[in-house]
Amino acid sequence: MVTSAKKAATVVLPVLQGEDPWTKAEIAAVRADLVADIDRMTKTIAAAEEDLADRMNDGPDGAGKDPADVGASNFELDQEMSLNANTRHMLHQTELALKLLDEGGYGYCEACGQPIGKLRLQAFPRATMCVACKQRAERR
């Protein structure tokens, strides 16, 4: 049976005109980065959820406290929840990128189907769109 890492190393990834082809070492490095990012984000999310659960179990925050303190505490809690949601989104993107790498669909723009570009993927391995499509999407 072929492991995911071996299968990914045998995949030919698309490149833009003028870019050098992906080497096995470069593909392995991108895969290792994705796996490390998944591990790091999974641990970060678990720790944040534990912290949030502890804060929620502490009971009502406003009893006998200064309204400014309550407001600051609520703001911090909202910020932590927002950061946790953002990390979950990045985790999902990273897991998708790893799945695409292992299945042979990595490196193609999800909007136009053209190559994303080797340099872009090396800088941002979980990219799912080429620069042009990403710019169009962000203008909307």
Side-chain angles (χ1 to χ4, degrees), residues 1-130:
M1 178 176 210
V2 178
T3 65
S4 295
K6 287 182 182 176
K7 187 168 44 170
T10 61
V11 170
V12 176
L13 299 179
V15 294
L16 294 174
Q17 187 174 357
E19 291 181 329
D20 292 329
W22 287 87
T23 65
K24 289 181 181 182
E26 289 169 335
I27 295 171
V30 167
R31 187 176 197 290
D33 287 346
L34 291 170
V35 169
D37 283 348
I38 289 170
D39 184 53
R40 178 185 51 79
M41 285 185 271
T42 300
K43 289 176 182 175
T44 299
I45 290 168
E49 286 178 348
E50 187 176 317
D51 183 51
L52 288 171
D54 289 346
R55 290 182 72 172
M56 294 292 195
N57 290 331
D58 283 345
D61 205 18
K65 293 188 178 180
D66 183 274
D69 291 340
V70 173
S73 179
N74 287 342
F75 178 77
E76 289 173 10
L77 182 61
D78 187 51
Q79 288 293 99
E80 287 180 36
M81 291 171 58
S82 180
L83 289 171
N84 195 25
N86 186 49
T87 303
R88 282 184 172 285
H89 179 70
M90 289 187 339
L91 175 61
H92 173 72
Q93 286 179 321
T94 307
E95 289 171 336
L96 177 61
L98 183 60
K99 179 182 176 195
L100 291 170
L101 181 62
D102 288 344
E103 294 177 355
Y106 185 76
Y108 292 99
C109 178
E110 69 182 6
C112 70
Q114 296 299 309
I116 292 172
K118 180 179 176 180
L119 294 176
R120 176 165 168 72
L121 289 170
Q122 286 176 321
F124 189 66
R126 64 180 171 271
T128 59
M129 292 182 166
C130 65

